């Protein structure tokens, strides 16, 4: 069978790598891919935005399954376009992908489904929002642009001044363009965050093991928000009991409510949760695998992902065996460019990839890399590499991941040094 993965980040490298391991899969293409996907699959120079070219490629190469990695093509209706062309694509259609594409829509589903979430109000006008903030008893707010903003459209505020500035940025200055035409002002929740992802065909839910991302740029969760500086899986803060609760009170009602709204969700439903003292609360839903959570998750998944994805499209997940996991935990450390998440330069030669990849239980997924005309691997983004290691314990996995990181270098490369420390500390208690 032939598979086409759409996207060019670390998540897509992990998807291509995992799908290429299926006994049923002979060939994996990635459009447009990166220097790492070129090693585990074949890159195709087509942008994720060019739907007609992707459809032509899938037809000409008789692709059996197309997997859409990122949110932008999902919310723009790539799966619908493939379906209309008679092609099989994994991921939610445009209507269901609104769970990620519109925070106002997502909140309306959460309320309709009676899923625990932060109290929130939507606005399309900054003066009304200003009045609301000034009249509030609280000084803690979260202001969120409605639409996609590459993970940057959320501002967590500790004062009314900050909240007013965030409203101005989103609604008046339109820092995130049309994504800020509507926005939410939310109650600020406290606690640790966890990512619970599930593969669902709209009828059956296969919950994946819980993971934790590290969104802040620097050690100790300090500094600006990023796309994620590292992740590990499983995350013990989501106990088995809590995971069942999340299935029953969060995932099941969400999937049923989407069905009722004629927006059946088929794909990966990713709940971003705050584990508050009062219990888990949904911060957001994403309509895809998390990046970097996908990398440690798929490093541990032993089941055949190709079969699971095909069964999702046909709504026969209920007929599959439960998912099988490597019992060993996985830790993923992101190596970033100097300056990220602010501005950064690209094009630096990366050294030591082969040496790092030879280490046992280590896989180096590429995120922002590309091959130059001489076949040299160079940096091509803010988050450059995702170094994953499996270990007997989380501490062991962390040690192996950082050992691999120490073999790799380029000008300005850096990482957080405390990925998975919260888990290691919790396990020690
Ligand atoms: P979102 O895209 O909605 O997940 O928001 C991005 C990040 O903002 C989350 O990972 C949280 O760290 C933070 N955040 C979002 N909503 C809230 C909230 N209601 N309370 C506290 N932090 C939040
Ligand atoms: N790791 C956060 C995200 O994928 O949105």
């Amino acid at each position: 069978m032939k598979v086409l993965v759409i996207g060019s980040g670390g998540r897509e490298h992990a998807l291509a790598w995992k799908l290429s391991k299926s006994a049923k899969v002979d060939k994996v293409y990635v459009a447009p891919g990166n220097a790492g996907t070129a090693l585990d699959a074949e890159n195709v120079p087509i942008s994720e935005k060019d739907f007609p070219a992707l459809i032509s490629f899938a037809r000409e190469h008789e692709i059996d399954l197309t997997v859409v990695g990122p949110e932008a093509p999902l919310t723009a209706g790539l799966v619908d376009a493939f379906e209309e062309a008679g092609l099989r694509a994994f991921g939610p259609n445009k209507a269901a992908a609104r769970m990620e594409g519109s925070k106002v829509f997502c909140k309306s589903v959460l309320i309709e489904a009676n899923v625990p979430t932060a109290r929130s109000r939507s606005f399309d006008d900054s003066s009304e929002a200003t009045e609301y903030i000034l009249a509030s008893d609280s000084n803690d707010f979260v202001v969120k642009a409605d639409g996609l903003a590459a993970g940057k459209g959320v501002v967590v505020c500790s004062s009314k001044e900050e909240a007013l500035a965030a409203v101005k940025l989103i609604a008046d200055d339109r820092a995130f363009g049309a994504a800020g035409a509507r926005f939410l002002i939310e109650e600020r929740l406290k606690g640790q965050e966890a990512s619970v992802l599930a593969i669902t065909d709209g009828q059956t839910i296969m919950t994946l093991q819980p993971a934790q991302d590290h969104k802040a740029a620097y050690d100790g969760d300090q500094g600006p928000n990023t796309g994620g500086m590292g992740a590990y899986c499983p995350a013990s803060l989501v106990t088995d009991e809590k995971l069942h609760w999340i299935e029953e009170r969060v995932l099941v009602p969400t999937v049923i409510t989407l069905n009722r709204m004629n927006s059946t969700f088929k794909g990966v439903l990713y709940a971003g949760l705050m584990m508050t003292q009062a219990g888990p609360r949904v911060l957001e839903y994403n309509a895809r695998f998390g990046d970097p959570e996908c990398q440690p998750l798929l490093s541990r998944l032993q089941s055949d992902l190709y079969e699971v994805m095909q069964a999702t499209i046909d709504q026969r997940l209920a007929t599959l065996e439960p998912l099988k996991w490597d019992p060993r935990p996985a830790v993923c450390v992101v190596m970033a460019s100097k300056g990220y998440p602010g501005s950064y330069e690209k094009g630096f030669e990366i050294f030591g990839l082969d040496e790092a990849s030879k280490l046992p239980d280590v896989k180096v997924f590429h995120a922002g890399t590309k091959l130059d005309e001489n076949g040299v691997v160079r940096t091509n983004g803010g988050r450059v590499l995702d170094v994953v290691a499996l270990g007997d314990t989380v501490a062991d996995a962390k040690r192996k991941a950082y050992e691999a990181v120490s073999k790799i270098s380029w000008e300005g490369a850096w990482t957080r040094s405390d990925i998975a420390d919260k888990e290691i500390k919790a396990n020690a208690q």
Side-chain angles (χ1 to χ4, degrees):
M1 298 293 174
K2 293 189 208 164
V3 176
L4 170 64
V5 174
I6 293 172
S8 61
R11 166 185 47 217
E12 287 74 31
H13 188 183
L15 285 166
W17 167 81
K18 179 69 188 160
L19 287 161
S20 73
K21 290 184 173 302
S22 164
K24 297 204 167 132
V25 174
D26 308 304
K27 177 88 192 166
V28 179
Y29 298 95
V30 187
N34 59 37
T37 58
L39 297 173
D40 289 307
E42 183 177 330
N43 287 351
V44 185
I46 305 175
S47 153
E48 64 185 46
K49 293 186 184 144
D50 192 348
F51 292 10
L54 292 167
I55 288 171
S56 300
F57 179 88
R59 280 206 176 118
E60 277 161 25
H61 291 78
E62 298 179 332
I63 299 293
D64 299 284
L65 171 69
T66 296
V67 178
V68 188
E71 61 275 19
L74 289 168
T75 53
L78 183 52
V79 170
D80 311 59
F82 266 63
E83 279 172 1
E84 278 158 30
L87 295 162
R88 295 172 69 80
F90 175 87
N93 63 16
K94 190 173 181 174
R98 284 182 297 164
M99 284 301 272
E100 176 159 7
S102 166
K103 290 190 190 290
V104 174
F105 174 77
C106 177
K107 194 58 99 172
S108 72
V109 174
L110 289 169
I111 291 167
E112 176 74 22
N114 199 20
V115 170
T117 182
R119 277 193 305 273
S120 156
R121 220 179 113 174
S122 75
F123 297 89
D124 51 20
D125 176 70
S126 64
S127 52
E128 210 181 311
T130 302
E131 273 175 40
Y132 173 79
I133 291 166
L134 292 175
S136 168
D137 296 334
S138 170
N139 285 314
D140 288 328
F141 305 90
V142 183
V143 186
K144 301 184 171 185
D146 177 48
L148 291 184
K152 300 198 176 81
V154 174
V155 189
V156 180
C157 309
S158 310
S159 68
K160 290 189 174 173
E161 289 69 35
E162 279 177 33
L164 294 173
V167 167
K168 179 173 178 303
L169 183 81
I170 290 171
D172 295 339
D173 304 347
R174 289 292 170 94
F176 310 107
R182 295 170 85 190
F183 55 99
L184 294 173
I185 301 183
E186 238 176 61
E187 157 197 28
R188 183 173 167 190
L189 299 173
K190 302 261 157 73
Q192 272 206 62
E193 285 177 52
S195 308
V196 174
L197 285 72
I199 299 178
T200 177
D201 58 11
Q203 290 170 356
T204 301
I205 294 167
M206 279 187 159
T207 307
L208 310 186
Q209 293 214 338
Q212 191 173 54
D213 189 9
H214 295 64
K215 292 242 169 92
Y218 310 132
D219 283 10
D221 294 330
Q222 301 298 308
N225 200 35
T226 70
M229 294 302 297
Y232 62 88
C233 158
S236 66
L237 101 138
V238 185
T239 57
D240 286 350
E241 196 189 335
K242 283 205 175 95
L243 194 61
H244 282 134
W245 189 93
I246 291 164
E247 280 177 346
E248 272 178 28
R249 292 290 316 277
V250 173
L251 297 170
V252 169
T254 301
V255 167
I256 291 173
T257 301
L258 281 166
N259 280 339
R260 262 200 255 119
M261 294 169 115
N262 273 332
S263 303
T264 295
F265 194 103
K266 296 204 252 171
V268 178
L269 189 59
Y270 163 149
L273 299 157
M274 188 73 92
M275 309 302 283
T276 74
Q277 282 187 341
R281 299 281 180 272
V282 175
L283 296 177
E284 63 164 351
Y285 269 117
N286 293 322
R288 51 169 173 86
F289 276 105
D291 192 347
E293 293 97 320
C294 179
Q295 290 80 312
L297 273 166
L298 293 189
S299 298
R300 296 186 57 234
L301 183 68
Q302 291 174 327
S303 307
D304 184 332
L305 185 62
Y306 176 82
E307 271 184 28
V308 173
M309 288 179 159
Q310 289 285 29
T312 303
I313 294 173
D314 296 331
Q315 295 196 300
R316 48 181 178 77
L317 273 183
T319 66
L320 298 192
E321 299 275 309
L323 295 177
K324 288 202 185 75
W325 299 91
D326 189 320
R328 293 173 300 167
V331 171
C332 170
V333 177
V334 173
M335 299 186 73
S337 295
K338 184 179 170 194
Y340 177 79
S343 61
Y344 53 83
E345 284 177 49
K346 301 179 188 176
F348 296 107
E349 181 171 357
I350 305 175
F351 301 96
L353 286 166
D354 286 345
E355 213 187 323
S357 300
K358 277 190 205 128
L359 294 171
D361 303 321
V362 166
K363 175 71 188 172
V364 180
F365 294 111
H366 291 221
T369 68
K370 74 170 192 191
L371 285 174
D372 72 10
E373 53 284 1
N374 301 315
V376 172
V377 182
R378 294 188 181 273
T379 65
N380 192 40
R383 291 189 295 168
V384 177
L385 298 172
D386 306 313
V387 180
V388 179
L390 293 163
D392 292 331
T393 61
V394 184
D396 187 36
K398 178 192 168 184
R399 188 186 52 72
K400 285 178 172 164
Y402 279 101
E403 189 189 341
V405 164
S406 75
K407 309 282 182 208
I408 302 171
S409 61
W410 70 86
E411 200 181 317
W414 66 279
T415 66
R416 272 180 66 158
S417 69
D418 65 345
I419 301 303
D421 277 1
K422 282 199 276 276
E423 180 74 17
I424 293 168
K425 207 168 144 198
N427 290 346
Q429 277 164 6

